[in-house]
Amino acid sequence: MKGNSLSLVSPFARRGRGVAGRPSVFGLRLASLFIVATLALAQAFYGCATNPVTGKSEFSVISEKDEIALGAQAYNGAIAEIGGEYNDPVLSAYVNDVGQSLAKVSHRPNLPYEFTVVGSSVMNAFALPGGKIVITTGLLSKFDDEAEVAGVLGHEIGHVTARHAARMISRSYLFQIPLIVGSMYAQGKGKGEELVALSSVGLALLQLKYSRAQESQADGLGMQYEAKAGYNPKGMVEVLEVLQSAHEKEPSALEGMLMTHPLTSSRISDAKTMLAKDYPSWQSREDMLFADRFKSKTERLMTHVGAFEHYDAAEGHYQKGELDQALQEYRAAIEIDGAQPQFHCGVGEVYIKKDDTPNAMKSFERAKELDPELFRGRLDLGYAQFLAERYEPAAGELEAAVAIVPTSPSAQYFLGRSYEKLGRSAEAIESYENAAALAPDTEIGKDAGQRAAALKAAG
Ligand SMILES: [Zn+2]
C-alpha cells in the first residue's frame, strides 16, 4: 500500500455516530466468536451468588471480582466513546463526592466506585458493573440542585447494587467473560481474541436496555440511598421530570439515555407513588435539596456549557467535509472554553485533513497538556507524528493510546505501522494482528492482516 492510500485508513475516516456522536472506539464485530467454551466449563468457574439487594440466591455466572474487572476494563473505552472527561477539577471532585456519599450507604458499599463527568451535550448517565459511573455535562447542566445530581447517581448506583448489567451481560456473553477477565489477571493487557471479547462486551454494556421493572427498582434504590445520605428523595422525581421535559423539547439529546434507561409515564408515577408511600414526611419539604452548593460548584459549567453547541456544529460540518466551517465552530467553542481537550483535537483533525501537519500537531499537543489520559488526543498526536515520519514519538503516543483503550483498531494499526518503520517487526506483527482481529472487515483490518503476513514471511 502506498502512502497516498493512507486516507483510507485514517483514524478520522470512520467517524460513525456513536452512542453520543463520537467515533466508535470499539471494534465492530459483535458476533460471539467463542462458542468453543462449554457451559460446563463456565459453570465450573462460577456458581450461585446472593443478590445484594433482594438477599435472594440467584444463578450467577459472574463473581464480584470479575464484575469489577469487567467494568474497569470497559471504563476507558466507554468514556472515550461518549466524549472524554470534562476538564473542570472542581466539578469532578464535587460529583465524585456526591456519588461516594450515596455509595457508602448503598447495599454494596465496598465496591471501588468512581464517578466521572464527561463533556458532551448529550444528556446521559450510565453505570458499568463494579461501580464505575459516568454522567455527562449535558445532563448536569439541566439540574437545579444537588438532590437531582444525587437522584441520577443514586439510580445508577441502584443498577450496580442490584447487578442489573452484570446479570444481563453474563447471560449474553457467557463465553467471553472468562477470556477478558483471564487475560486481565494474567498480564494486564489483552491480545487478539481477548481484545475482541472485551470490545464486544464493552459495546454491549453501553447499549444495554434495562427493563421497566429494573428502572423502577433503580429509582426506588436511588431514593433509598438519597434519604440515607441526607438528601430529599424528591430529587429522584425531579430528575424524571427534567428528563421528561427535555424529551419533549429536544428528543435527540436524550436518545442515548432513553435507550438504556427507558422513561415511561408509569415510571414517573411509580416514583411519585414510592415517594408518597415510603417517604411521606419528605414529600412537601423543600430542604435538603442543596441548591446553593450545586450552584456554586457548577458555576463554571453553567457559564461555559454553550461551547458544546459550537462543538456539535463543528463535528457536524467535519462529518460533511465542510472543513472551514468546522474550523470556525471549533474555534468558537475554544473561545468560550479553551480548557476542553476535545475541542483542540477537533481543530487538529481539520488541519490533518488540510494536510497541515505542523498546525495539527500544535493542537494535539495542547489537548495532551490538558488531559494526557484523553484517548482521542493521544491517538491524534500519534497519527500526526506518524504522518510527519517521526516514528519514535509516534510509537510513544500510540502506545499511550493503546494503554488507555486497547480495543481501538486505529490505534493498534498505526502503532503497528510505527513499529514496522522502526524495524521492530515482532511488535509490529502483534499490533497488526490485534487490529486485524478487532476490525476484520475494514480497510484497516485487512491491511493490518496483509502487513502481518508479509512481515512473518520476511522474518
Ligand atoms: Zn436506569
Side-chain angles (χ1 to χ4, degrees), residues 121 305-314 329 333:
S121 63
V305 74
F308 281 97
E309 279 170 40
H310 293 289
Y311 174 71
D312 290 350
E329 292 287 354

Side-chain angles (χ1 to χ4, degrees), residues 90-91 94-95 97-98 101 144-147 149-150 229-231 288-300 302:
V90 172
L91 183 67
Y94 170 63
V95 168
D97 286 349
V98 173
S101 74
D144 296 312
D145 59 50
E146 192 172 306
V149 182
Y231 288 106
M288 309 308 263
L289 296 169
F290 306 106
D292 290 343
R293 191 158 63 198
F294 174 82
K295 218 172 181 173
S296 84
K297 299 288 186 181
T298 57
E299 195 183 346
R300 189 187 185 282
M302 297 301 188

Side-chain angles (χ1 to χ4, degrees), residues 54 65 77 82 85 103 142 218 228 260 325 341 348 418 423 428 441 443:
T54 60
K65 194 175 161 203
I82 64 167
E85 199 172 337
K142 296 286 189 295
K228 273 192 182 174
T260 49
Q325 289 106 307
S418 305
D441 305 323
E443 207 71 40

Side-chain angles (χ1 to χ4, degrees), residues 125 155-156 159 164 210-211 214-215 218-219 257 260-262 267:
H155 174 100
E156 297 302 334
H159 281 309
H164 290 156
Y210 295 115
S211 69
Q214 288 174 323
E215 282 306 285
D219 289 340
M257 176 143 196
T260 49
H261 307 276
R267 187 179 151 198

Side-chain angles (χ1 to χ4, degrees), residues 83-146:
E85 199 172 337
Y86 186 65
N87 183 19
D88 178 347
V90 172
L91 183 67
S92 293
Y94 170 63
V95 168
N96 193 59
D97 286 349
V98 173
Q100 298 297 348
S101 74
L102 297 158
K104 220 166 41 190
V105 298
S106 77
H107 290 91
R108 301 174 78 186
N110 296 321
L111 291 174
Y113 289 95
E114 198 177 333
F115 301 83
T116 304
V117 179
V118 163
S120 166
S121 63
V122 173
M123 300 167 69
N124 208 347
F126 60 84
L128 294 175
K132 305 276 191 238
I133 290 168
V134 166
I135 182 166
T136 63
T137 50
L139 185 55
L140 277 172
S141 65
K142 296 286 189 295
F143 292 152
D144 296 312
D145 59 50
E146 192 172 306

Side-chain angles (χ1 to χ4, degrees), residues 327 330-331 334 340-352 356-370 377 380-381 384:
L327 194 57
Y330 282 129
R331 287 203 172 123
I334 289 171
Q340 302 313 319
Q342 65 265 52
F343 300 171
H344 297 275
C345 288
V347 170
E349 288 166 16
V350 171
Y351 280 125
I352 288 281
D356 184 348
T357 311
N359 264 320
M361 209 106 75
K362 277 185 210 158
S363 291
F364 298 150
E365 291 283 3
R366 181 77 190 116
K368 180 181 165 182
E369 273 168 38
L370 288 166
D380 281 354
L381 185 55

